[in-house]
Amino acid sequence: MSMALKQVFNKDRTFRPKRKFEPGTQRFELHKKAQASLNAGLDLKQAVQLPHGEDLNDWVAVHVVDFFNRINLIYGTISDSCTDQTCPVMSGGPKYEYRWQDELKYKRPTALSAPKYMSLLMDWIEVQINNENIFPTNVGTPFPKTFMQVAKKILSRLFRVFVHVYIHHFDRVSQMGAEAHVNTCYKHFYYFVTEFNLTDHKELEPLKEMTSRMCH
């Protein structure tokens, strides 16, 4: 990692505080297990597989929070070059445009600038992962029936951050010496969502060519 990049990542330029796992909880232990696999240099394709005897919902919850923290940080590093002027539409090249919709202010899909979309997205995800009724933190509290549906929606929307960063801001990523870091994070994310079928194939379409070079 280059010195410039180290400084950026050490500043922890996330938009909001990281969601952390409470020590002593099963989720904290799973998080440590996932990190240990990565730190041991385990093949990413193997690292995402569900450990024997573990609950899939817990494994997905741990990764959703982790990917949120990491992708939020990646976007934070290029956010100074992603403005209403440079990116008036949240897109992934000329063929893909992403519109924002939520249950609150934007009841219909609405075209927004990329930074506005990103800000609403990160706020929305933060609300979901801090909601005890969706992401229960107490061991023994069951996950709701809708958990996987919410997790899929979060991961699909986080994938769009990668699409925008790769297609519109990769020169900035390279300039900062962050290319290897972003590529590793992307591969980890891609292997995870495809291992558990957590994202529709049409969502993966914009980065299909790059992915086939990088991950196959």
Short mmCIF file of all heavy atoms in Angstrom, two decimals, residues 92-155:
data_model
loop_
_atom_site.label_atom_id
_atom_site.label_comp_id
_atom_site.label_asym_id
_atom_site.label_seq_id
_atom_site.Cartn_x
_atom_site.Cartn_y
_atom_site.Cartn_z
N GLY A 92 -23.35 4.05 -14.28
CA GLY A 92 -22.20 3.19 -14.51
C GLY A 92 -21.97 3.16 -16.00
O GLY A 92 -22.31 2.18 -16.66
N GLY A 93 -21.45 4.25 -16.53
CA GLY A 93 -21.28 4.37 -17.99
C GLY A 93 -22.59 4.79 -18.64
O GLY A 93 -23.60 5.00 -17.97
N PRO A 94 -22.60 4.90 -19.98
CA PRO A 94 -23.78 5.41 -20.68
C PRO A 94 -25.00 4.46 -20.65
O PRO A 94 -26.12 4.89 -20.80
CB PRO A 94 -23.29 5.61 -22.12
CG PRO A 94 -22.09 4.74 -22.24
CD PRO A 94 -21.47 4.65 -20.89
N LYS A 95 -24.74 3.16 -20.43
CA LYS A 95 -25.84 2.19 -20.50
C LYS A 95 -26.61 2.00 -19.19
O LYS A 95 -27.73 1.49 -19.19
CB LYS A 95 -25.29 0.82 -20.93
CG LYS A 95 -25.11 0.67 -22.44
CD LYS A 95 -24.38 -0.60 -22.78
CE LYS A 95 -25.25 -1.84 -22.54
NZ LYS A 95 -24.51 -3.08 -22.91
N TYR A 96 -26.00 2.37 -18.07
CA TYR A 96 -26.63 2.07 -16.78
C TYR A 96 -26.83 3.33 -15.94
O TYR A 96 -25.88 4.04 -15.65
CB TYR A 96 -25.77 1.06 -15.99
CG TYR A 96 -25.59 -0.24 -16.73
CD1 TYR A 96 -24.46 -0.46 -17.53
CD2 TYR A 96 -26.55 -1.24 -16.67
CE1 TYR A 96 -24.29 -1.64 -18.23
CE2 TYR A 96 -26.39 -2.43 -17.36
CZ TYR A 96 -25.27 -2.63 -18.14
OH TYR A 96 -25.11 -3.81 -18.83
N GLU A 97 -28.06 3.56 -15.58
CA GLU A 97 -28.39 4.68 -14.69
C GLU A 97 -29.14 4.12 -13.50
O GLU A 97 -30.04 3.30 -13.64
CB GLU A 97 -29.26 5.71 -15.42
CG GLU A 97 -29.58 6.93 -14.56
CD GLU A 97 -30.51 7.91 -15.26
OE1 GLU A 97 -30.33 8.15 -16.47
OE2 GLU A 97 -31.43 8.42 -14.59
N TYR A 98 -28.75 4.58 -12.31
CA TYR A 98 -29.39 4.09 -11.09
C TYR A 98 -30.26 5.19 -10.48
O TYR A 98 -29.78 6.31 -10.27
CB TYR A 98 -28.34 3.64 -10.08
CG TYR A 98 -27.45 2.55 -10.61
CD1 TYR A 98 -26.07 2.74 -10.78
CD2 TYR A 98 -27.98 1.30 -10.96
CE1 TYR A 98 -25.25 1.73 -11.27
CE2 TYR A 98 -27.17 0.29 -11.45
CZ TYR A 98 -25.81 0.51 -11.60
OH TYR A 98 -25.01 -0.49 -12.08
N ARG A 99 -31.50 4.87 -10.22
CA ARG A 99 -32.42 5.84 -9.62
C ARG A 99 -32.69 5.45 -8.18
O ARG A 99 -32.72 4.27 -7.86
CB ARG A 99 -33.71 5.90 -10.43
CG ARG A 99 -33.42 6.36 -11.85
CD ARG A 99 -34.64 6.56 -12.69
NE ARG A 99 -34.22 7.23 -13.92
CZ ARG A 99 -34.96 8.09 -14.58
NH1 ARG A 99 -36.18 8.38 -14.16
NH2 ARG A 99 -34.50 8.67 -15.68
N TRP A 100 -32.88 6.45 -7.36
CA TRP A 100 -33.07 6.18 -5.93
C TRP A 100 -34.55 6.06 -5.58
O TRP A 100 -35.37 6.84 -6.04
CB TRP A 100 -32.44 7.28 -5.07
CG TRP A 100 -32.62 6.99 -3.61
CD1 TRP A 100 -33.50 7.57 -2.75
CD2 TRP A 100 -31.93 5.98 -2.86
NE1 TRP A 100 -33.39 6.99 -1.51
CE2 TRP A 100 -32.45 6.01 -1.56
CE3 TRP A 100 -30.94 5.04 -3.17
CZ2 TRP A 100 -31.99 5.16 -0.55
CZ3 TRP A 100 -30.49 4.19 -2.17
CH2 TRP A 100 -31.01 4.25 -0.89
N GLN A 101 -34.85 5.08 -4.73
CA GLN A 101 -36.20 4.92 -4.22
C GLN A 101 -36.11 4.42 -2.78
O GLN A 101 -35.29 3.56 -2.46
CB GLN A 101 -36.96 3.89 -5.08
CG GLN A 101 -38.44 3.75 -4.68
CD GLN A 101 -39.18 2.81 -5.63
OE1 GLN A 101 -38.56 2.11 -6.43
NE2 GLN A 101 -40.49 2.80 -5.54
N ASP A 102 -36.93 4.99 -1.92
CA ASP A 102 -36.99 4.48 -0.54
C ASP A 102 -38.44 4.57 -0.06
O ASP A 102 -39.33 4.91 -0.83
CB ASP A 102 -36.04 5.26 0.40
CG ASP A 102 -36.26 6.77 0.36
OD1 ASP A 102 -37.43 7.19 0.17
OD2 ASP A 102 -35.29 7.54 0.51
N GLU A 103 -38.66 4.24 1.17
CA GLU A 103 -40.05 4.25 1.67
C GLU A 103 -40.41 5.63 2.24
O GLU A 103 -41.51 5.82 2.75
CB GLU A 103 -40.23 3.19 2.77
CG GLU A 103 -39.96 1.75 2.34
CD GLU A 103 -38.47 1.41 2.23
OE1 GLU A 103 -37.69 1.86 3.09
OE2 GLU A 103 -38.10 0.72 1.27
N LEU A 104 -39.48 6.56 2.17
CA LEU A 104 -39.71 7.84 2.83
C LEU A 104 -39.98 8.96 1.82
O LEU A 104 -41.08 9.13 1.34
CB LEU A 104 -38.50 8.18 3.72
CG LEU A 104 -38.14 7.09 4.75
CD1 LEU A 104 -36.79 7.35 5.34
CD2 LEU A 104 -39.21 7.00 5.82
N LYS A 105 -38.91 9.67 1.45
CA LYS A 105 -39.07 10.85 0.60
C LYS A 105 -39.23 10.48 -0.88
O LYS A 105 -39.96 11.14 -1.62
CB LYS A 105 -37.85 11.76 0.79
CG LYS A 105 -37.99 13.12 0.15
CD LYS A 105 -36.78 13.98 0.47
CE LYS A 105 -36.79 15.24 -0.38
NZ LYS A 105 -35.54 16.00 -0.22
N TYR A 106 -38.51 9.44 -1.32
CA TYR A 106 -38.50 9.09 -2.74
C TYR A 106 -39.31 7.82 -2.97
O TYR A 106 -38.78 6.72 -2.97
CB TYR A 106 -37.06 8.91 -3.24
CG TYR A 106 -36.23 10.16 -3.09
CD1 TYR A 106 -35.43 10.36 -1.95
CD2 TYR A 106 -36.23 11.15 -4.06
CE1 TYR A 106 -34.67 11.52 -1.80
CE2 TYR A 106 -35.48 12.30 -3.93
CZ TYR A 106 -34.71 12.49 -2.79
OH TYR A 106 -33.96 13.64 -2.64
N LYS A 107 -40.60 8.00 -3.14
CA LYS A 107 -41.47 6.83 -3.28
C LYS A 107 -41.44 6.25 -4.70
O LYS A 107 -41.83 5.12 -4.93
CB LYS A 107 -42.90 7.20 -2.87
CG LYS A 107 -43.00 7.60 -1.39
CD LYS A 107 -44.38 7.43 -0.86
CE LYS A 107 -44.63 7.92 0.53
NZ LYS A 107 -43.64 7.82 1.53
N ARG A 108 -40.96 7.06 -5.64
CA ARG A 108 -40.78 6.57 -7.02
C ARG A 108 -39.31 6.66 -7.38
O ARG A 108 -38.60 7.53 -6.86
CB ARG A 108 -41.57 7.46 -8.00
CG ARG A 108 -43.07 7.27 -7.88
CD ARG A 108 -43.79 8.10 -8.90
NE ARG A 108 -45.23 7.93 -8.78
CZ ARG A 108 -46.11 8.69 -9.40
NH1 ARG A 108 -45.70 9.66 -10.19
NH2 ARG A 108 -47.40 8.47 -9.24
N PRO A 109 -38.83 5.77 -8.27
CA PRO A 109 -37.41 5.85 -8.68
C PRO A 109 -37.09 7.25 -9.21
O PRO A 109 -37.76 7.75 -10.12
CB PRO A 109 -37.30 4.80 -9.79
CG PRO A 109 -38.41 3.84 -9.50
CD PRO A 109 -39.53 4.66 -8.94
N THR A 110 -36.08 7.89 -8.60
CA THR A 110 -35.76 9.29 -8.90
C THR A 110 -34.30 9.44 -9.32
O THR A 110 -33.41 8.92 -8.66
CB THR A 110 -36.02 10.16 -7.64
OG1 THR A 110 -37.35 9.91 -7.17
CG2 THR A 110 -35.85 11.64 -7.94
N ALA A 111 -34.08 10.16 -10.42
CA ALA A 111 -32.70 10.41 -10.88
C ALA A 111 -32.05 11.44 -9.96
O ALA A 111 -32.62 12.50 -9.70
CB ALA A 111 -32.73 10.94 -12.31
N LEU A 112 -30.87 11.09 -9.45
CA LEU A 112 -30.13 11.99 -8.56
C LEU A 112 -28.66 12.03 -8.97
O LEU A 112 -28.20 11.14 -9.68
CB LEU A 112 -30.20 11.47 -7.11
CG LEU A 112 -31.57 11.37 -6.44
CD1 LEU A 112 -31.44 10.61 -5.13
CD2 LEU A 112 -32.16 12.75 -6.19
N SER A 113 -27.95 13.03 -8.48
CA SER A 113 -26.50 13.06 -8.74
C SER A 113 -25.87 11.91 -7.95
O SER A 113 -26.44 11.43 -6.96
CB SER A 113 -25.91 14.40 -8.28
OG SER A 113 -25.94 14.48 -6.86
N ALA A 114 -24.69 11.48 -8.40
CA ALA A 114 -24.02 10.36 -7.72
C ALA A 114 -23.76 10.65 -6.23
O ALA A 114 -24.08 9.81 -5.38
CB ALA A 114 -22.72 10.01 -8.43
N PRO A 115 -23.22 11.83 -5.86
CA PRO A 115 -22.97 12.04 -4.43
C PRO A 115 -24.24 12.04 -3.58
O PRO A 115 -24.25 11.55 -2.45
CB PRO A 115 -22.26 13.40 -4.36
CG PRO A 115 -22.37 14.00 -5.70
CD PRO A 115 -22.64 12.91 -6.68
N LYS A 116 -25.34 12.57 -4.14
CA LYS A 116 -26.61 12.57 -3.41
C LYS A 116 -27.10 11.14 -3.23
O LYS A 116 -27.55 10.74 -2.15
CB LYS A 116 -27.63 13.41 -4.20
CG LYS A 116 -29.03 13.48 -3.59
CD LYS A 116 -29.06 14.34 -2.35
CE LYS A 116 -30.50 14.50 -1.82
NZ LYS A 116 -30.51 14.82 -0.39
N TYR A 117 -27.01 10.36 -4.30
CA TYR A 117 -27.41 8.95 -4.25
C TYR A 117 -26.59 8.20 -3.20
O TYR A 117 -27.13 7.46 -2.38
CB TYR A 117 -27.21 8.31 -5.64
CG TYR A 117 -27.68 6.88 -5.76
CD1 TYR A 117 -28.89 6.57 -6.38
CD2 TYR A 117 -26.92 5.82 -5.26
CE1 TYR A 117 -29.32 5.25 -6.51
CE2 TYR A 117 -27.34 4.51 -5.38
CZ TYR A 117 -28.55 4.22 -6.01
OH TYR A 117 -28.97 2.92 -6.11
N MET A 118 -25.27 8.41 -3.23
CA MET A 118 -24.37 7.71 -2.29
C MET A 118 -24.70 8.07 -0.84
O MET A 118 -24.72 7.21 0.04
CB MET A 118 -22.91 8.08 -2.56
CG MET A 118 -22.40 7.68 -3.92
SD MET A 118 -22.27 5.88 -4.11
CE MET A 118 -21.41 5.82 -5.69
N SER A 119 -24.96 9.34 -0.61
CA SER A 119 -25.26 9.78 0.75
C SER A 119 -26.56 9.14 1.26
O SER A 119 -26.62 8.63 2.38
CB SER A 119 -25.38 11.32 0.76
OG SER A 119 -25.65 11.76 2.05
N LEU A 120 -27.59 9.14 0.41
CA LEU A 120 -28.86 8.51 0.79
C LEU A 120 -28.68 7.00 0.99
O LEU A 120 -29.25 6.42 1.91
CB LEU A 120 -29.93 8.76 -0.29
CG LEU A 120 -30.49 10.18 -0.36
CD1 LEU A 120 -31.25 10.39 -1.67
CD2 LEU A 120 -31.40 10.47 0.83
N LEU A 121 -27.87 6.39 0.12
CA LEU A 121 -27.63 4.95 0.20
C LEU A 121 -26.96 4.58 1.52
O LEU A 121 -27.41 3.67 2.23
CB LEU A 121 -26.76 4.49 -0.97
CG LEU A 121 -26.26 3.04 -0.92
CD1 LEU A 121 -27.42 2.06 -0.88
CD2 LEU A 121 -25.35 2.74 -2.09
N MET A 122 -25.88 5.29 1.86
CA MET A 122 -25.15 4.97 3.10
C MET A 122 -26.02 5.22 4.33
O MET A 122 -25.99 4.44 5.28
CB MET A 122 -23.84 5.77 3.18
CG MET A 122 -22.87 5.51 2.03
SD MET A 122 -22.47 3.74 1.79
CE MET A 122 -21.38 3.84 0.37
N ASP A 123 -26.82 6.28 4.31
CA ASP A 123 -27.75 6.55 5.42
C ASP A 123 -28.76 5.42 5.54
O ASP A 123 -29.06 4.94 6.64
CB ASP A 123 -28.50 7.87 5.21
CG ASP A 123 -27.62 9.09 5.47
OD1 ASP A 123 -26.56 8.93 6.10
OD2 ASP A 123 -27.99 10.19 5.03
N TRP A 124 -29.31 5.01 4.40
CA TRP A 124 -30.34 3.96 4.40
C TRP A 124 -29.77 2.64 4.92
O TRP A 124 -30.40 1.96 5.74
CB TRP A 124 -30.87 3.78 2.96
CG TRP A 124 -31.83 2.65 2.82
CD1 TRP A 124 -33.15 2.62 3.19
CD2 TRP A 124 -31.54 1.33 2.29
NE1 TRP A 124 -33.69 1.38 2.91
CE2 TRP A 124 -32.73 0.58 2.38
CE3 TRP A 124 -30.39 0.74 1.76
CZ2 TRP A 124 -32.81 -0.75 1.94
CZ3 TRP A 124 -30.46 -0.58 1.33
CH2 TRP A 124 -31.65 -1.31 1.42
N ILE A 125 -28.56 2.28 4.47
CA ILE A 125 -27.95 1.02 4.93
C ILE A 125 -27.69 1.09 6.43
O ILE A 125 -27.94 0.14 7.16
CB ILE A 125 -26.64 0.70 4.18
CG1 ILE A 125 -26.92 0.44 2.70
CG2 ILE A 125 -25.93 -0.51 4.81
CD1 ILE A 125 -25.68 0.23 1.83
N GLU A 126 -27.20 2.24 6.87
CA GLU A 126 -26.90 2.38 8.30
C GLU A 126 -28.15 2.16 9.16
O GLU A 126 -28.10 1.50 10.19
CB GLU A 126 -26.30 3.76 8.58
CG GLU A 126 -25.65 3.82 9.93
CD GLU A 126 -24.92 5.12 10.18
OE1 GLU A 126 -25.30 6.14 9.58
OE2 GLU A 126 -24.00 5.10 10.99
N VAL A 127 -29.27 2.69 8.69
CA VAL A 127 -30.54 2.50 9.41
C VAL A 127 -30.89 1.01 9.47
O VAL A 127 -31.28 0.49 10.51
CB VAL A 127 -31.68 3.31 8.75
CG1 VAL A 127 -33.04 2.89 9.30
CG2 VAL A 127 -31.47 4.81 8.97
N GLN A 128 -30.70 0.31 8.35
CA GLN A 128 -31.04 -1.13 8.30
C GLN A 128 -30.17 -1.94 9.26
O GLN A 128 -30.67 -2.74 10.04
CB GLN A 128 -30.86 -1.72 6.88
CG GLN A 128 -31.55 -0.98 5.75
CD GLN A 128 -33.02 -0.73 5.98
OE1 GLN A 128 -33.78 -1.65 6.27
NE2 GLN A 128 -33.43 0.53 5.85
N ILE A 129 -28.85 -1.72 9.20
CA ILE A 129 -27.96 -2.57 10.00
C ILE A 129 -27.98 -2.23 11.48
O ILE A 129 -27.56 -3.03 12.31
CB ILE A 129 -26.50 -2.59 9.46
CG1 ILE A 129 -25.85 -1.22 9.53
CG2 ILE A 129 -26.44 -3.16 8.06
CD1 ILE A 129 -24.40 -1.21 9.04
N ASN A 130 -28.50 -1.05 11.83
CA ASN A 130 -28.63 -0.70 13.24
C ASN A 130 -30.03 -1.00 13.79
O ASN A 130 -30.31 -0.72 14.94
CB ASN A 130 -28.29 0.77 13.46
CG ASN A 130 -26.79 1.00 13.39
OD1 ASN A 130 -26.03 0.39 14.11
ND2 ASN A 130 -26.36 1.86 12.48
N ASN A 131 -30.87 -1.57 12.94
CA ASN A 131 -32.23 -1.91 13.35
C ASN A 131 -32.22 -3.33 13.94
O ASN A 131 -32.03 -4.31 13.22
CB ASN A 131 -33.16 -1.84 12.13
CG ASN A 131 -34.61 -2.12 12.50
OD1 ASN A 131 -34.91 -2.71 13.54
ND2 ASN A 131 -35.52 -1.69 11.64
N GLU A 132 -32.43 -3.42 15.24
CA GLU A 132 -32.38 -4.71 15.95
C GLU A 132 -33.41 -5.70 15.42
O GLU A 132 -33.25 -6.91 15.57
CB GLU A 132 -32.62 -4.49 17.44
CG GLU A 132 -31.43 -3.92 18.18
CD GLU A 132 -30.32 -4.94 18.42
OE1 GLU A 132 -30.62 -6.15 18.53
OE2 GLU A 132 -29.15 -4.54 18.48
N ASN A 133 -34.48 -5.19 14.83
CA ASN A 133 -35.51 -6.09 14.30
C ASN A 133 -35.08 -6.75 12.99
O ASN A 133 -35.67 -7.75 12.57
CB ASN A 133 -36.83 -5.34 14.07
CG ASN A 133 -37.42 -4.84 15.38
OD1 ASN A 133 -37.34 -5.54 16.37
ND2 ASN A 133 -37.97 -3.64 15.37
N ILE A 134 -34.07 -6.17 12.33
CA ILE A 134 -33.57 -6.75 11.08
C ILE A 134 -32.24 -7.45 11.31
O ILE A 134 -32.02 -8.56 10.85
CB ILE A 134 -33.42 -5.66 9.98
CG1 ILE A 134 -34.75 -4.94 9.74
CG2 ILE A 134 -32.91 -6.29 8.67
CD1 ILE A 134 -34.65 -3.74 8.82
N PHE A 135 -31.33 -6.76 12.03
CA PHE A 135 -30.01 -7.30 12.35
C PHE A 135 -29.91 -7.48 13.86
O PHE A 135 -29.29 -6.67 14.55
CB PHE A 135 -28.91 -6.33 11.88
CG PHE A 135 -28.60 -6.39 10.41
CD1 PHE A 135 -29.49 -5.87 9.47
CD2 PHE A 135 -27.42 -6.96 9.95
CE1 PHE A 135 -29.20 -5.91 8.11
CE2 PHE A 135 -27.12 -7.00 8.59
CZ PHE A 135 -28.01 -6.49 7.67
N PRO A 136 -30.54 -8.52 14.42
CA PRO A 136 -30.49 -8.69 15.88
C PRO A 136 -29.07 -8.95 16.36
O PRO A 136 -28.33 -9.71 15.73
CB PRO A 136 -31.40 -9.91 16.13
CG PRO A 136 -31.42 -10.65 14.84
CD PRO A 136 -31.24 -9.63 13.76
N THR A 137 -28.67 -8.30 17.45
CA THR A 137 -27.29 -8.49 17.95
C THR A 137 -27.24 -9.49 19.09
O THR A 137 -26.18 -10.03 19.39
CB THR A 137 -26.69 -7.15 18.42
OG1 THR A 137 -27.61 -6.51 19.28
CG2 THR A 137 -26.37 -6.25 17.25
N ASN A 138 -28.38 -9.74 19.75
CA ASN A 138 -28.36 -10.69 20.86
C ASN A 138 -28.39 -12.12 20.34
O ASN A 138 -29.21 -12.47 19.50
CB ASN A 138 -29.57 -10.47 21.79
CG ASN A 138 -29.49 -9.11 22.46
OD1 ASN A 138 -28.41 -8.63 22.75
ND2 ASN A 138 -30.64 -8.49 22.69
N VAL A 139 -27.48 -12.93 20.86
CA VAL A 139 -27.45 -14.34 20.48
C VAL A 139 -28.77 -14.98 20.91
O VAL A 139 -29.27 -14.73 22.00
CB VAL A 139 -26.27 -15.07 21.17
CG1 VAL A 139 -26.26 -16.54 20.80
CG2 VAL A 139 -24.96 -14.43 20.77
N GLY A 140 -29.34 -15.76 20.03
CA GLY A 140 -30.61 -16.40 20.37
C GLY A 140 -31.81 -15.66 19.83
O GLY A 140 -32.89 -16.23 19.69
N THR A 141 -31.64 -14.34 19.53
CA THR A 141 -32.75 -13.61 18.92
C THR A 141 -32.81 -14.02 17.45
O THR A 141 -31.82 -13.87 16.73
CB THR A 141 -32.54 -12.08 19.03
OG1 THR A 141 -32.34 -11.74 20.39
CG2 THR A 141 -33.74 -11.32 18.47
N PRO A 142 -33.95 -14.55 17.01
CA PRO A 142 -34.00 -15.03 15.62
C PRO A 142 -33.99 -13.89 14.61
O PRO A 142 -34.45 -12.78 14.90
CB PRO A 142 -35.33 -15.80 15.56
CG PRO A 142 -36.17 -15.22 16.64
CD PRO A 142 -35.22 -14.77 17.72
N PHE A 143 -33.46 -14.16 13.45
CA PHE A 143 -33.52 -13.20 12.35
C PHE A 143 -34.95 -13.19 11.80
O PHE A 143 -35.62 -14.22 11.80
CB PHE A 143 -32.57 -13.61 11.22
CG PHE A 143 -31.13 -13.29 11.50
CD1 PHE A 143 -30.34 -14.19 12.21
CD2 PHE A 143 -30.56 -12.10 11.06
CE1 PHE A 143 -29.01 -13.91 12.47
CE2 PHE A 143 -29.22 -11.81 11.31
CZ PHE A 143 -28.44 -12.72 12.02
N PRO A 144 -35.42 -12.03 11.32
CA PRO A 144 -36.76 -12.00 10.75
C PRO A 144 -36.81 -12.75 9.41
O PRO A 144 -35.76 -12.95 8.78
CB PRO A 144 -37.02 -10.50 10.53
CG PRO A 144 -35.65 -9.91 10.34
CD PRO A 144 -34.75 -10.71 11.23
N LYS A 145 -38.00 -13.13 9.00
CA LYS A 145 -38.14 -13.86 7.73
C LYS A 145 -37.66 -13.02 6.55
O LYS A 145 -37.27 -13.54 5.51
CB LYS A 145 -39.61 -14.23 7.51
CG LYS A 145 -40.09 -15.36 8.42
CD LYS A 145 -41.42 -15.91 7.92
CE LYS A 145 -41.88 -17.12 8.73
NZ LYS A 145 -42.53 -16.73 9.99
N THR A 146 -37.72 -11.70 6.71
CA THR A 146 -37.35 -10.79 5.61
C THR A 146 -35.85 -10.50 5.56
O THR A 146 -35.39 -9.73 4.72
CB THR A 146 -38.09 -9.44 5.76
OG1 THR A 146 -37.81 -8.93 7.08
CG2 THR A 146 -39.59 -9.59 5.57
N PHE A 147 -35.06 -11.09 6.49
CA PHE A 147 -33.65 -10.72 6.59
C PHE A 147 -32.89 -10.85 5.27
O PHE A 147 -32.21 -9.93 4.83
CB PHE A 147 -32.93 -11.52 7.69
CG PHE A 147 -31.44 -11.31 7.67
CD1 PHE A 147 -30.89 -10.09 8.08
CD2 PHE A 147 -30.57 -12.29 7.18
CE1 PHE A 147 -29.52 -9.86 8.01
CE2 PHE A 147 -29.21 -12.07 7.11
CZ PHE A 147 -28.69 -10.86 7.54
N MET A 148 -33.00 -12.03 4.62
CA MET A 148 -32.24 -12.26 3.39
C MET A 148 -32.64 -11.27 2.29
O MET A 148 -31.81 -10.81 1.52
CB MET A 148 -32.41 -13.69 2.90
CG MET A 148 -31.48 -14.67 3.58
SD MET A 148 -29.72 -14.30 3.27
CE MET A 148 -28.98 -15.54 4.32
N GLN A 149 -33.92 -10.96 2.25
CA GLN A 149 -34.43 -10.00 1.26
C GLN A 149 -33.77 -8.64 1.45
O GLN A 149 -33.32 -7.99 0.50
CB GLN A 149 -35.94 -9.91 1.49
CG GLN A 149 -36.74 -9.27 0.38
CD GLN A 149 -38.21 -9.16 0.81
OE1 GLN A 149 -38.72 -10.00 1.55
NE2 GLN A 149 -38.87 -8.11 0.37
N VAL A 150 -33.68 -8.19 2.72
CA VAL A 150 -33.05 -6.90 3.04
C VAL A 150 -31.55 -6.96 2.73
O VAL A 150 -30.98 -6.04 2.13
CB VAL A 150 -33.28 -6.51 4.52
CG1 VAL A 150 -32.51 -5.23 4.88
CG2 VAL A 150 -34.76 -6.31 4.81
N ALA A 151 -30.91 -8.08 3.10
CA ALA A 151 -29.46 -8.23 2.85
C ALA A 151 -29.17 -8.17 1.35
O ALA A 151 -28.22 -7.52 0.92
CB ALA A 151 -28.97 -9.56 3.44
N LYS A 152 -30.01 -8.83 0.55
CA LYS A 152 -29.83 -8.81 -0.91
C LYS A 152 -29.94 -7.39 -1.46
O LYS A 152 -29.18 -6.97 -2.32
CB LYS A 152 -30.87 -9.70 -1.60
CG LYS A 152 -30.56 -11.17 -1.52
CD LYS A 152 -31.64 -11.99 -2.23
CE LYS A 152 -31.34 -13.48 -2.16
NZ LYS A 152 -32.30 -14.30 -2.85
N LYS A 153 -30.91 -6.65 -0.93
CA LYS A 153 -31.12 -5.27 -1.40
C LYS A 153 -29.91 -4.40 -1.06
O LYS A 153 -29.43 -3.61 -1.87
CB LYS A 153 -32.39 -4.71 -0.78
CG LYS A 153 -32.92 -3.47 -1.48
CD LYS A 153 -34.31 -3.13 -0.98
CE LYS A 153 -34.88 -1.95 -1.74
NZ LYS A 153 -36.23 -1.60 -1.29
N ILE A 154 -29.40 -4.57 0.17
CA ILE A 154 -28.22 -3.80 0.59
C ILE A 154 -27.03 -4.14 -0.31
O ILE A 154 -26.34 -3.25 -0.82
CB ILE A 154 -27.86 -4.10 2.07
CG1 ILE A 154 -28.94 -3.54 3.01
CG2 ILE A 154 -26.49 -3.52 2.43
CD1 ILE A 154 -28.78 -3.95 4.48
N LEU A 155 -26.78 -5.43 -0.53
CA LEU A 155 -25.62 -5.84 -1.31
C LEU A 155 -25.74 -5.43 -2.78
O LEU A 155 -24.75 -5.00 -3.39
CB LEU A 155 -25.42 -7.36 -1.20
CG LEU A 155 -25.00 -7.83 0.21
CD1 LEU A 155 -25.14 -9.34 0.34
CD2 LEU A 155 -23.57 -7.41 0.53
#
